[in-house]
Amino acid sequence: MSNPFLNLNYETAIESLGSDYFDEVTAADFPLHILRFRNDQLLPILGLDPKQVTDEDFTTAFGKFHCVRPFLALCYHGYQFNEYNPYLGDGRGFLYGQVRGIDGKLYDFGTKGSGRTPYSRTADGRLTLKGGVREVLAAEALHRLGVRTSRCLSMVETGDSLWRGDEPSPTRSSVMVRFSQSHIRFGTFERLYFLRRNDLIKKLLDHVIQYYYPELHFQTGRMPVPESEQYALFYAELVKRVAELVAQWMAAGFCHGVLNTDNMSITGESFDYGPYGFIPTYKPQFTAAYFDYSGLYSYGNQPFICHLNLERLQQPLAAVIDKKEMDAALAKFGEYYNASYQQLMLNRLGFDRLPDSEAEELLQLTIKLLSETQVGYHDFFLELRKQFSQDWREDSSLIFKDVEPAEIIAPWRQLYHHLLQTLSPADMEEIRLRLRRYNPEQSLLRIIIEEVWESIATDDNWQPFYELVNRIQDPN
């Protein structure tokens, strides 16, 4: 086989767990296979040269679904809007395969929109083309903003006409392949607890530690850690990863939209983007999902929800891990979150390190400024990047000189000027470079996505989409 995707060295990590965790499925036969997106940035991680991979290679593997291993629809349950749902599982996707990257990490190829499975219920197992476009854009934008996220490897238009209540129908269809560390979810463990299979919980936890937390096997100095201690260390590390992840969302101004436990990855990675949204202005009550009537998964509620989901995960994990040890680990969530959020916001403001008191004051004044002026969240950081000047160190009146009202900007301007006064020209240049790194020029507000989609839906014009992806991926 000359197709490089079919020649990869696929591993049997999930498959080796046995059929208690998945069902073997087949992919749908689609009437059309048009490659609409290929993520050449990911190919080197797989040891592939993008120049040696053709569009036909993508569509053969990830549209027509030629394969070298069985496709696995993973089993899970989950809390959805505070209600436990035991009727979940991969209903429109499956695990295509698992591959070791050149960095030594194991990665999943997971499909979305690839057809019906035993968990589809009354759904058609398909993904709308607009849904695929939105997930490609979300993943690339979050990656550029430094969020630990899954990314899309490919998206193929598949030629089916779909009927959806939230899109003008009939609408076009697609299938995409998600590239991520793992598709094991909090809900994967919750299902096993529901089935009263403590033995399978321990087996899955051993698997997760082996493949995704191998560092827990050894202490500093490479001394082996007893197996009984590894479990509590795992939960403590997961708490830290999730706290840092939600801090990344908050600093990026991102609202996931549907933080059910089946959308929470056991590796602390962000994935599964549906009705997400980037906040236009700083409003904690901003809600991305039109069906989230109570605002449960609002932007400002995300730290609380992630903490709650970690607490819910304790129920199945208690079959293996002592509850007091998990409580002690979860108690540090706020500490991890606050430290990470503060650092990320400092970076967006141009600083690497500040004394704690000054860092806290700058963060408070920034949030106050964003909240009271309702200036665009992305626009504020972009203008800071564009307007920043060496002259700001000498003359405070030059700092955001056109921002009104003066009584709101004045305290922020005064503090920012104070922080710059002790810096050398070289330090000022470091701030300028940091502002460029952490504040990309391209935002991904809903209106921008809709403009791109309108070109596709009306004229089948994909050029605005590709131009937007290129701007998002631009490291400058």
Side-chain angles (χ1 to χ4, degrees):
M1 295 179 290
S2 61
N3 188 319
F5 293 119
L6 303 182
N7 284 325
L8 291 172
N9 184 24
Y10 289 95
E11 298 193 16
T12 59
I14 286 287
E15 193 178 348
S16 65
L17 283 172
S19 59
D20 291 307
Y21 302 89
F22 57 79
D23 288 89
E24 290 191 20
V25 296
T26 58
D29 290 323
F30 298 111
L32 191 69
H33 307 93
I34 303 176
L35 183 65
R36 296 300 190 182
F37 174 74
R38 51 178 285 172
N39 201 334
D40 285 351
Q41 289 191 354
L42 296 176
L43 297 184
I45 301 175
L46 301 170
L48 301 178
D49 180 355
K51 296 178 181 178
Q52 302 299 317
V53 182
T54 68
D55 288 359
E56 181 62 26
D57 292 331
F58 275 95
T59 56
T60 297
F62 306 132
K64 300 174 185 177
F65 288 107
H66 294 197
C67 63
V68 293
R69 301 221 56 77
F71 300 143
L72 310 178
L74 305 185
C75 310
Y76 52 85
H77 292 176
Y79 285 91
Q80 299 187 312
F81 290 90
N82 285 329
E83 297 293 331
Y84 189 78
N85 188 347
Y87 304 107
L88 297 176
D90 282 339
R92 57 174 173 173
F94 51 70
L95 181 67
Y96 178 95
Q98 297 180 283
V99 178
R100 189 77 54 174
I102 62 171
D103 56 3
K105 296 179 180 179
L106 185 65
Y107 291 99
D108 283 7
F109 294 163
T111 68
K112 190 172 183 178
S114 51
R116 290 180 55 80
T117 77
Y119 309 103
S120 300
R121 292 177 285 173
T122 60
D124 57 21
R126 265 59 169 181
L127 172 68
T128 67
L129 185 60
K130 185 177 184 180
V133 165
R134 282 176 50 82
E135 181 144 350
V136 168
L137 294 174
E140 293 309 295
L142 290 174
H143 175 71
R144 172 63 182 83
L145 285 163
V147 175
R148 190 188 306 120
T149 178
S150 65
R151 297 174 73 183
C152 294
L153 179 62
S154 66
M155 181 181 67
V156 175
E157 184 169 0
T158 54
D160 287 321
S161 294
L162 306 179
W163 294 85
R164 295 291 186 267
D166 55 354
E167 289 187 36
S169 297
T171 189
R172 294 152 72 177
S173 62
S174 69
V175 62
M176 50 157 280
V177 172
R178 182 186 295 129
F179 181 86
S180 66
Q181 290 186 22
S182 176
H183 284 78
I184 298 174
R185 308 155 190 258
F186 287 19
T188 312
F189 284 91
E190 288 166 339
R191 169 182 170 269
L192 300 176
Y193 176 81
F194 181 86
L195 297 176
R196 301 181 180 181
R197 293 300 304 271
N198 289 353
D199 57 324
L200 297 183
I201 291 174
K202 183 179 184 303
K203 185 177 180 181
L204 181 60
L205 189 52
D206 288 338
H207 170 90
V208 167
I209 293 173
Q210 176 186 352
Y211 284 98
Y212 305 111
Y213 296 79
E215 67 279 4
L216 300 184
H217 291 296
F218 298 95
Q219 298 173 334
T220 304
R222 308 303 291 171
M223 295 294 293
V225 175
E227 183 182 80
S228 59
E229 296 179 19
Q230 292 175 21
Y231 301 127
L233 290 174
F234 153 76
Y235 184 75
E237 176 62 20
L238 177 62
V239 167
K240 183 172 185 290
R241 290 189 189 186
V242 172
E244 291 173 347
L245 174 63
V246 70
Q248 291 167 4
W249 290 341
M250 298 299 286
F254 177 75
C255 182
H256 185 285
V258 190
L259 284 178
N260 300 326
T261 57
D262 56 294
N263 290 335
M264 300 283 292
S265 168
I266 205 68
T267 61
E269 182 182 41
S270 181
F271 79 127
D272 216 354
Y273 304 121
Y276 68 85
F278 286 85
I279 57 173
T281 61
Y282 186 83
K283 287 185 178 179
Q285 64 270 30
F286 173 87
T287 303
Y290 70 90
F291 47 82
D292 185 3
Y293 305 112
S294 68
L296 179 66
Y297 296 145
S298 65
Y299 167 73
N301 223 23
Q302 292 181 125
F304 164 76
I305 290 298
C306 287
H307 183 282
L308 176 63
N309 288 342
L310 284 164
E311 185 176 3
R312 285 169 168 158
L313 182 62
Q314 289 186 7
Q315 189 173 49
L317 293 184
V320 185
I321 309 173
D322 182 81
K323 180 70 163 55
K324 291 182 179 179
E325 290 184 297
M326 288 193 287
D327 285 340
L330 187 57
K332 295 184 178 180
F333 180 93
E335 176 187 337
Y336 294 138
Y337 169 78
N338 290 330
S340 183
Y341 180 66
Q342 183 181 92
Q343 183 61 56
L344 291 166
M345 292 297 283
L346 282 181
N347 292 155
R348 298 206 71 173
L349 292 165
F351 295 97
D352 182 29
R353 291 283 185 272
L354 287 175
D356 287 344
S357 60
E358 292 182 335
E360 184 175 348
E361 184 180 7
L362 179 60
L363 185 54
Q364 290 177 350
L365 287 177
T366 300
I367 297 301
K368 185 174 187 293
L369 174 64
L370 291 168
S371 180
E372 294 185 1
T373 63
Q374 284 298 287
V375 65
Y377 187 82
H378 170 79
D379 294 340
F380 172 80
F381 293 105
L382 180 58
E383 286 304 310
L384 181 59
R385 163 184 168 157
K386 288 181 175 179
Q387 294 186 31
F388 182 79
S389 166
Q390 293 272 355
D391 295 337
W392 283 15
R393 187 182 54 174
E394 311 301 331
D395 186 351
S396 64
S397 68
L398 298 176
I399 301 175
F400 280 151
K401 60 183 179 180
D402 297 325
V403 174
E404 298 291 342
E407 62 270 18
I408 294 179
I409 186 65
W412 187 93
R413 180 186 287 138
Q414 181 179 359
L415 177 59
Y416 203 83
H417 178 244
H418 166 73
L419 297 174
L420 296 180
Q421 281 183 306
T422 60
L423 301 183
S424 67
D427 293 331
M428 293 287 285
E429 176 63 13
E430 286 296 318
I431 287 184
R432 186 188 71 82
L433 293 175
R434 207 171 286 118
L435 290 171
R436 290 182 62 84
R437 176 183 175 186
Y438 291 103
N439 300 315
E441 289 199 11
Q442 182 60 58
S443 67
L444 195 62
L445 295 178
R446 185 165 293 164
I447 188 173
I448 295 173
I449 300 173
E450 291 299 327
E451 288 173 355
V452 166
W453 174 247
E454 185 66 20
S455 295
I456 295 171
T458 303
D459 302 318
D460 202 29
N461 179 7
W462 287 82
Q463 193 58 33
F465 168 75
Y466 296 128
E467 291 174 353
L468 178 57
V469 170
N470 288 335
R471 291 195 301 272
I472 289 172
Q473 291 180 336
D474 184 358
N476 298 313

